[in-house]
Amino acid sequence: MSELIRKSASELAELLRNKEVSSVEVTKAHLERSDTVDGAVHSYLYQSPEAALIAAAEIDRQRAAGDSMHALAGVPIAVKDNLATTDAPTTAGSKILEGWVPPYDATVVKKLRAAGMPILGKTNLDEFAMGSSTEFSAYGPSRNPWDLERIPGGSGGGSSSVVASFQAPLAIGSDTGGSIRFPAAVTGTVGTKPTYGAVSRYGVIALASSLDQVGPVARNVLDTALLQDVIAGHDKHDSTSLPESLGSMADAARKLDVKGMRIGVIKQLTGEGFQKGVSARFQESLNLLQAAGAEIVEVSCPSFEYAIAAYYLILPAEASSNLAKYDSVRFGLRVEPGENATIERVMAATREAGFGPEVKRRIILGTYALSSGSYDKFYGAALKVRTLIQRDFAEAFSKADVLVSPTAPTTAFKFGDKVDDPLAMYLNDIATIPANLAGIPGMSLPNGLAEEDGLPVGIQLLAPAREDARLYQVGGFLEQAHEQVWGKRMIDFAPELEVR
Amino acid sequence: MAKAELMNYEKALEQFEVVIGLEVHVELNTKTKMFCGCKNEFGNEPNTNVCPICIALPGALPAVNKTAVESSIKIGLALGCDIQPTGRFARKNYFYPDLAKNFQTSQYDEPIAFNGSLEVEVPSGDVHNVLIERAHMEEDAGKLTHIGGATGRIQGAEYSLVDYNRAGVPLVEIVTKPIFGAGAEAPELAAAYVRSIREIVKALGVSDARMERGNVRCDANVSLRLHGAEKLGTRTETKNVNSLRSIERAVRYEIQRQAHILANGGTITQETRHWHEDKGSTSAGRPKSDADDYRYFPEPDLVPVQPSKELIESLRASLPEKPADRRKRLAGEWNFSELEFRDVVNADLLDQIEETVAAGAKPQAARKWWMGELARIANEAEEGTELNVTPAQVAELAKLIEDGKINDRLAREVLGYVLAGEGSPAEIVTARGLEVVSDDGALIAAIEAALANSPDVIPAIKEGRMQAAGQVIGAVMKAMAGSADAARVRELLIEIANK
Amino acid sequence: MSEITPDLVRHLAGLARILVSEEEVEQFTKQLGLIADSVATVGKAIDADTPATSHPIPMANVFREDVVEPSLSQAEALSGAPDSYDGRFKVNAILDEE
């Protein structure tokens, strides 16, 4: 039974299809794993074992009755706690939404349920997805299964750690500046931020509306592809949702061929700012690609110098507006600062008590970026930088089919290392942010271990908007090439979790 | 609150030039709200026409109502505006409990329509060309009820209750450019302008346009400056003007109030003011500042609206008759005098009379009843009460008179019963037996009975002194409780007299 | 330049309806000052002619037909409310008139 948790989602799907195992057994195995390890890892903010088993039993019943089943039916999954679920609290990692149970499901959640995937629980995140380490979760951080003293990445550290610690084969994350990709890199897992609009944002607690995307998290490329295929698609409730389908990512992941593809190395995302092992593994992967018939070219994106600045103007501005709704009136926390307080004072006291320091910082910064007299210099200017970044990508993609970079400058740092230095924390996202600004898709997949600390390193792939399939094609190939070199999967290098 | 001092109106206009600006919000009559599929309907249980979107639950996203966009374009075209080729929605950020998201999704620098104009006629007959700055799409807020203070006002309230049924209802805000040169007729011009807007949106079929229901709301901006001055004076914005009459009164009041302050060396505070119908005055609300920092930015959850030329032209082709043209046509068809027609327009009875004529009444008869008895009854009733009578019923009433079934006096009685909800005029006449008595036998009997009491009448009539007849006719009418046809009584009397 | 002063921080916190302690004002003034200085560099990258991009993927004219869709029930709508009365959300008294 414990072997079930080591299987990939596609392997589990096949066992389920062949009725060699039931969804209830698979779900139970993962719930037992959580009982053993989640005390230490703290991936979950809320677990729903009963609901998951009920869903699993229903899938088993349908399968036995001969109903037609979705490809991943019966495979359990964890969902980041910024997606609305009617049967579990949705807190966005914040005190201001403690215990709030939505009266509606996010579109992605509806799709998971329709596909027959039992939902194991809601995973931890930096509060309102603002952060790179889950240290800003109001409910305590999640821990990196590779080293429990280190961050699992953020904001989606719960989703990355839940699959890295084998508590779930799959998870849903969201990515606004790297919140799927950075955790993937530091936990040796795979995560994709799809093209903006490829996956519905309806029911996803908004951080920065023009940057947010929901995406798949898993331990290998094919699983990630299968999951993206489930959750992607047009949604009439999301006006920014792409009208067309982007095709099958799973098909792309199975191609395993990069011959003739042009791989662009982004000059600005290499060099001194990157940890030695990170750069070394990156170069090795370039060699693997070249050896398989891909052409490596250098591209330059000079506007990336301003990407972080633009991001930390656009995000706080949009967030300051998106978070205005947390005002004690219709849901969430209400704090009464003394008798006969006016509603204005109740709102201010509620938000003071309910929001953590990073959220407050960004709201105030965002209010500033939009305020009268400052708009042109800040938010307005950032929107123009976004144009430049899109132009740089367009130029780069005229020379290359896929762009590559290390996902992050470093491996997982220790808790406390950057939490008091916002600027240092923001620099984690230097490689991931441009894709969000431009709306293009990006994937991080495992790229080996850094020799100086033995910790996972990620490689980032980027493709033009709507060309997500290219990520899976190159990613699938690279993963297989790595496994051939290493002799095992990346995740098999992970140390055994101390069982408490 | 001390009542403000007012300068005499004529004096104020001698000293100052009046500039007004009008912002009118039109509530569209779409089936659903602007950004969600909840019903756009008045009068339901609180918070039953709501969804995650319009009560701003975390994660909800807006989706634009296509009909609302088309209605907005129609309004823009009817006002002679250019239509924005590509326009984004914008967020207007401020906190208030009736604004669920604590921002309003509106339009900022890319309104759907801009640069139009509207010819407005004032009672004196002058026609002003009011320039329209813009018309843009936005959403309404919820409804707040204040509990515990005096008469439901905010001051002294213990708490407030919020109903979001109205939140998200589509609005079109129409903003004029500053209006110069209205002079003493500024109040009338303001009311006439809003009346015209009402007519237009009603004719377009995009709004029920009932001010008493809040379908059309007006904020009036007023500022004064010395004659010949270049710079505009500081303006105040008066809200809560719920009827055409209030608009006129409020503008007039503000002119007088501001004139008094300025003439005494004071300065006008730029602020929002509230009109109080009962007191006939305005009072200060929040200090209004153009620096009210709304932190507008383009709405990222919605994509731009780019109406195609084909769409615009097809909507333009579907525009109904312009109100000014309609009025010319009706004036010609009805053959009223200029004064009669203008009175009808000023009394806002154009639609009622048109409908009554359409139901078969002669124009003058329709005018007589609506401008006469019904207007009298409406004036005596509480402001805002709707009269319980339809144009079709008025037409039926007029026809009964024309057919000789009832006379004027009986008609007034029947009307009273119609208003009380007893049914249609014909039903009432039958049920209550109010038909004019046309049975000659009964009339003759009554005449002879009256003659028995006034023996001198017949000789008088024979001598040609017809006034004497009046006495008998009056007596007969009285005896028959007014249900005799007076003309027929007179005929019969003369016949009898000449026998 | 991006002069973040304690007064400005208090003003912004007021606009954003967040009560801030004097300690937080001090801390935020410092931190935001650093951040604001660094993000102000965006000004260097652009010129007056650079167009702004508010939406990353160009799309237009996404509409919904004017057709009624199911609403929440009153109970569902009020389900998260900290306080309600008579079918409506209940809030403390409001300070000033609209």
Side-chain angles (χ1 to χ4, degrees), chain A residues 14-74:
Chain A
E14 177 150 2
L15 291 173
L16 287 160
R17 246 190 322 273
N18 298 337
K19 301 192 178 138
E20 287 174 52
V21 78
S22 71
S23 180
V24 167
E25 285 172 286
V26 173
T27 303
K28 263 202 186 132
H30 287 92
L31 291 171
E32 278 164 20
R33 174 68 174 173
S34 292
D35 287 340
T36 312
V37 307
D38 204 46
V41 181
H42 190 231
S43 301
Y44 283 112
L45 291 179
Y46 184 85
Q47 292 183 59
S48 22
E50 295 92 9
L53 287 169
I54 289 171
E58 174 58 20
I59 290 301
D60 288 334
R61 189 200 63 73
Q62 285 175 13
R63 202 188 296 273
D67 293 357
S68 82
M69 314 295 295
H70 184 277
L72 289 176

Side-chain angles (χ1 to χ4, degrees), chain A residues 144-205:
Chain A
N144 193 323
W146 290 71
D147 177 346
L148 295 172
E149 301 307 309
R150 293 179 187 267
I151 56 111
S155 64
S159 286
S160 63
S161 61
V162 88
V163 304
S165 60
F166 300 96
Q167 294 184 69
L170 298 169
I172 296 293
S174 72
D175 189 309
T176 303
S179 294
I180 287 177
R181 290 163 287 157
F182 179 59
V186 300
T187 56
T189 56
V190 182
T192 307
K193 180 203 87 65
T195 298
Y196 183 84
V199 179
S200 170
R201 288 184 299 118
Y202 190 77
V204 182
I205 297 182

Side-chain angles (χ1 to χ4, degrees), chain B residues 31-33 37-41 44 49 165 169, chain C residues 68-69 71:
Chain B
K31 297 200 192 70
T32 62
K33 296 187 178 183
C38 290
K39 268 193 252 176
N40 172 9
E41 199 175 82
N44 296 114
N49 291 339
N165 280 352
V169 164
Chain C
V68 175
E69 287 176 45
S71 291

